[in-house]
Amino acid sequence: MSVTLRALLADPELRLTAHADAEALERPVSWVHVSELTDPTPFLAGGELLLTTGLALRPEECAEFVDRLTATGVAGLGFGIGLSHGAVPEALAAAADRAGLPLLEVPREIPFIALSKAVSRAIAAEEYAGLRRTSRAQHELAQAAGTSNGVAALVRKLATLLDAWVLLLDPAGTLLHAAPASAAACRESLIAEVDRLRAKQGLAASGISVGSREVSLQVLGSRVRGFLAVSREGPFATTDHHVINSAASLLTLALEQGDVLRSARRRLRAGFFWLLVHGESLRDAPGDLHAELPAEPMRVLVLHGQRDPDDLLQWLETEKPSAPMFLAEHDGAVVALAAEDDVGWLTSLELRIGISEPCALNEVAEGLRQARQAAGATRRHGGVVRFGELAGGGLLRLVPEDEARAFSESMLAPLRGHDVLRRSLQEWLTQHGQWDPAASRLGVHRHTLRNRMGKVEALLGRGLDQPGVRAELWLALQVLDRPAE
């Protein structure tokens, strides 16, 4: 607790007399300064107890003298009597009372240095107590970090030490731990500030107010391992900030170690999936990896998104449902093995996804091939493509849009401006070259249709009796009839 004017008054060796109300005596004293200048404010920083004998102070200057001290923010004024003045000047006492400036009367036999020593000893004792408190807190935090669930224990211990609520958030701002549990409801009020700190891309901290509470919020780690928020009624002392910083360092280390473990586990999953694809024995693989496999039959999914595979995999691992789902990185993409019921969660995400047909565990290699082919079709259209849909989409799905349209426009260029001939050609091809059905659909006589087809052959310079020509014309008409992308 800070040194106050009341504490100095309570020291019997100083024998001070107060000319101030009780509330004003609670002001903390940062230091003691002695000056006989009529304007000592250039040498003051605020919070000091200014001591003077009033050697150069005239009665008419008292009000201005007090106003300057008040504006500077001094804690109080100590006036030594028995030298320049036998008692505190009435004008000075009145001005101090009017301005609310605490005035302490210092008897002649008490040297000013006695007050300086008293304040210095109190400040030193306070700093030592703060160091001891910080040291004990750091020791308790380190002990908590060494427990089996160190991160959660650290959060709870910090909340106890500071009598505050504490939130630990992941890099996305999702709640990881809260102490007490009811503090979880406060997360929403911090999201805007979390987003602002994240945008700074590096170590950052801020102090904000939420209602009547002060909140200390800081980024954990230079690569944003998470966010630590600590809040309580009233301001944090310097020692409180030391404790918070110690907890932040320990949490950063714990989260970084967790990242190392998660990275190692991802490598294990990648190796496990490689064994599945290559049909190798899985007897020596960790049992908990087997537990992540869904029941057969399962689907193989290949996922692509805006994030790089490592970030995408980390995000999916955090967000995935509790049901068994195997996630791994393979050949620069994220792959998943999921039951049909859980595929819907993945397809609800804004990702490009290829999905295989149902397969058994020993058929994962074929499932991966199918999922890759389906994922390849998403490069043009995005979204989700199932392998079974590829055949339904026809050959046109496999041809790049710009190349297909250029070929079609070139091939059908001779029919440009001959809409009747083009429509007749399309109907005739639709009816597999049968004259009567095509003529009936067009509402013309079959001889009329034969004449039209003769004109088409002449314009195109190609015979319609060749199967290859018919196939190319049909594809060209299909391409030009679909909307351009």
Side-chain angles (χ1 to χ4, degrees):
M1 185 173 179
S2 301
V3 186
T4 63
L5 295 173
R6 182 177 298 281
L8 295 176
L9 281 166
D11 188 337
E13 294 184 3
L14 298 179
R15 296 159 49 194
L16 302 174
T17 302
H19 297 268
D21 59 36
E23 183 178 353
L25 294 176
E26 298 301 332
R27 292 185 183 182
V29 178
S30 62
W31 199 244
V32 174
H33 184 73
V34 179
S35 177
E36 297 297 340
L37 298 174
T38 56
D39 183 12
T41 55
F43 307 98
L44 301 174
E48 300 91 350
L49 173 61
L50 177 68
L51 302 180
T52 184
T53 63
L55 181 64
L57 189 64
R58 297 193 296 270
E60 64 272 17
E61 297 174 334
C62 287
E64 186 178 355
F65 177 69
V66 167
D67 288 343
R68 281 197 291 265
L69 296 183
T70 303
T72 305
V74 298
L77 174 63
F79 193 87
I81 61 172
L83 292 175
S84 303
H85 300 271
V88 176
E90 292 183 4
L92 180 63
D97 181 63
R98 185 169 55 253
L101 177 67
L103 179 60
L104 304 183
E105 182 180 313
V106 184
R108 168 71 178 81
E109 59 273 18
I110 303 298
F112 283 170
I113 195 171
L115 277 79
S116 297
K117 287 181 177 180
V119 171
S120 179
R121 284 195 302 268
I123 291 175
E126 181 183 0
E127 290 178 348
Y128 178 68
L131 287 174
R132 290 194 63 187
R133 175 176 175 247
T134 301
S135 178
R136 286 196 302 269
Q138 289 173 338
H139 179 68
E140 292 182 37
L141 289 169
Q143 284 185 317
T147 59
S148 58
N149 191 4
V151 172
L154 263 171
V155 170
R156 291 194 297 269
K157 176 57 69 174
L158 181 60
T160 301
L161 289 171
L162 298 184
D163 189 22
W165 61 248
V166 180
L167 298 181
L168 179 62
L169 310 178
D170 73 4
T174 304
L175 180 66
L176 294 176
H177 298 286
S182 58
C186 304
R187 186 190 73 88
E188 289 298 325
S189 62
L190 304 177
I191 292 302
E193 188 65 12
V194 166
D195 291 340
R196 189 185 71 81
L197 288 183
R198 188 191 299 109
K200 289 188 173 182
Q201 297 182 343
L203 293 173
S206 69
I208 60 174
S209 297
V210 178
S212 61
R213 302 183 69 92
E214 293 297 313
V215 181
S216 170
L217 181 65
Q218 59 182 288
V219 176
L220 299 178
S222 57
R223 192 193 160 186
V224 191
R225 307 288 180 179
F227 299 88
L228 176 64
V230 185
S231 174
R232 72 176 183 196
E233 298 286 346
F236 291 102
T238 301
T239 53
D240 296 331
H241 286 295
H242 290 327
V243 173
I244 292 172
N245 291 337
S246 297
S249 297
L250 289 169
L251 284 169
T252 300
L253 180 60
L255 293 172
E256 287 176 348
Q257 290 174 337
D259 283 349
V260 171
L261 292 174
R262 281 188 290 273
S263 178
R265 189 162 185 82
R266 288 193 196 110
R267 290 194 293 271
L268 280 176
R269 285 201 192 96
F272 185 80
F273 188 77
W274 187 92
L275 292 175
L276 282 175
V277 171
H278 290 83
E280 300 289 339
S281 171
L282 303 176
R283 287 178 300 177
D284 297 329
D288 54 346
L289 289 182
H290 286 274
E292 295 182 17
L293 294 172
E296 301 177 79
M298 62 186 72
R299 302 266 186 172
V300 182
L301 298 89
V302 173
L303 305 96
H304 298 278
Q306 297 297 322
R307 314 178 189 210
D308 64 56
D310 187 61
D311 286 345
L312 176 58
L313 186 57
Q314 179 178 337
W315 183 77
L316 290 171
E317 288 170 345
T318 303
E319 299 293 326
K320 74 174 184 176
S322 57
M325 179 182 295
F326 187 88
L327 295 165
E329 186 176 350
H330 184 75
D331 283 350
V334 174
V335 294
L337 302 178
E340 182 63 45
D341 291 344
D342 297 317
V343 167
W345 174 77
L346 289 165
T347 57
S348 68
L349 308 175
E350 294 184 1
L351 301 171
R352 294 191 295 108
I353 304 176
I355 305 176
S356 75
E357 293 292 282
C359 64
L361 189 60
N362 60 2
E363 298 171 329
V364 165
E366 173 60 18
L368 177 62
R369 183 191 67 80
Q370 294 177 2
R372 278 174 166 167
Q373 282 191 300
T378 66
R379 292 194 187 98
R380 288 168 47 228
H381 302 285
V384 179
V385 176
R386 292 174 179 264
F387 181 76
E389 298 171 352
L390 292 179
L395 288 173
L396 291 180
R397 257 189 117 145
L398 306 179
V399 181
E401 177 71 21
D402 52 351
E403 294 180 18
R405 187 163 289 273
F407 166 80
S408 303
E409 289 177 349
S410 174
M411 186 168 196
L412 295 175
L415 297 183
R416 191 176 295 120
H418 299 280
D419 293 343
V420 173
L421 295 180
R422 176 171 164 166
R423 190 166 58 253
S424 299
L425 171 62
Q426 186 160 11
E427 189 60 46
W428 182 73
L429 291 172
T430 301
Q431 300 302 323
H432 310 292
Q434 299 182 56
W435 299 105
D436 288 340
S440 176
R441 295 272 299 176
L442 291 167
V444 299
H445 195 275
R446 66 176 179 275
H447 294 310
T448 302
L449 180 57
R450 286 181 181 275
N451 289 334
R452 290 180 181 177
M453 292 301 98
K455 293 179 181 178
V456 168
E457 286 183 318
L459 288 170
L460 295 176
R462 309 178 83 173
L464 297 180
D465 56 344
Q466 301 176 41
V469 173
R470 291 188 188 185
E472 289 179 350
L473 287 170
W474 169 253
L475 285 173
L477 289 165
Q478 294 299 305
V479 168
L480 295 183
D481 282 347
R482 67 184 181 183
E485 297 182 355

